[in-house]
Amino acid sequence: MPTEKKKENVARLVERLSRSQMVILTDYRGINMKDLTALRRALEKADGGYHVVKNTLLRLALRQASIAGLEPYLQGPTAVAFGYGDAVALAKAMREQLPSYPSFQVKAAWMSGRVLSPEALETLASLPPRPVLLGQVVGALQAPLAGLAGALAGVLRQLIYVLSVRSEQGERPAGAA
């Protein structure tokens, strides 16, 4: 029978999972407490959290939060990174920390109802920041409109030139050419 403390831990995990935009499962073997604390602080700056969890409790919390697909990755020591804000920011923060801990491994991630492999997470982390992406989208949308405006302006300029030449021809006396 589960103890009251385990029930509280599961409830806390369910609450964190339901607030998360992204969840990253990691194997933290070979990382000491000092390094775990540094990793937690780095992920907190990216509006995330990092917690060592028991696989059994996390499995229960995943079911209660209706998150499917991560159960096969709950083998061995597991720590979970929760991303409460921008998912890409958490992925970038995690990627920046990986070289510092050679034994650290990403098992899998979950975002928007999908399970992501470590390779997919790396691809996500390599995306440009959100403002840059938005600028690229706006630029892509603006380019055809700017081209159309330039073409229309060129046609108008030619029309005005033709009309001004024609008007000058009409103002001259018939014998002066």
Side-chain angles (χ1 to χ4, degrees):
M1 177 159 251
T3 65
E4 197 60 40
K5 184 174 181 176
K6 287 181 182 178
K7 288 179 184 177
E8 289 173 12
N9 286 342
V10 170
R12 217 173 298 128
L13 284 171
V14 169
E15 184 268 329
R16 288 179 181 140
L17 288 167
S18 62
R19 284 192 306 140
S20 296
Q21 302 297 317
M22 174 177 268
V23 176
I24 302 173
L25 300 181
T26 63
D27 183 341
Y28 63 94
R29 277 185 262 217
I31 300 177
N32 61 35
M33 200 60 191
K34 177 183 160 201
D35 291 339
L36 272 177
T37 303
L39 181 59
R40 275 191 185 105
R41 288 193 179 127
L43 296 180
E44 283 172 0
K45 290 178 185 174
D47 197 17
Y50 190 71
H51 303 278
V52 174
V53 297
K54 290 189 176 274
N55 290 333
T56 309
L57 298 180
L58 182 58
R59 190 173 286 114
L60 290 170
L62 288 169
R63 282 189 203 127
Q64 289 180 25
S66 300
I67 295 176
L70 290 178
E71 291 85 8
Y73 301 100
L74 298 179
Q75 305 290 325
T78 303
V80 183
F82 299 98
Y84 305 119
D86 184 16
V88 176
L90 182 71
K92 285 179 183 292
M94 185 65 78
R95 182 179 69 171
E96 289 172 4
Q97 297 303 313
L98 286 176
S100 304
Y101 315 107
S103 62
F104 186 78
Q105 265 188 321
V106 172
K107 294 180 180 183
W110 176 89
M111 181 180 86
S112 302
R114 290 190 191 155
V115 175
L116 304 175
S117 67
E119 296 78 24
L121 187 65
E122 174 63 31
T123 301
L124 185 66
S126 65
L127 287 174
R130 182 180 169 89
V132 173
L133 281 175
L134 290 174
Q136 290 173 347
V137 169
V138 168
L141 291 173
Q142 180 188 8
L145 296 174
L148 178 63
L152 291 176
V155 169
L156 283 174
R157 259 192 311 275
Q158 288 177 350
L159 178 64
I160 291 171
Y161 176 72
V162 168
L163 290 175
S164 70
V165 168
R166 187 74 177 138
S167 136
E168 288 174 8
Q169 288 175 349
E171 293 174 1
R172 291 188 198 149

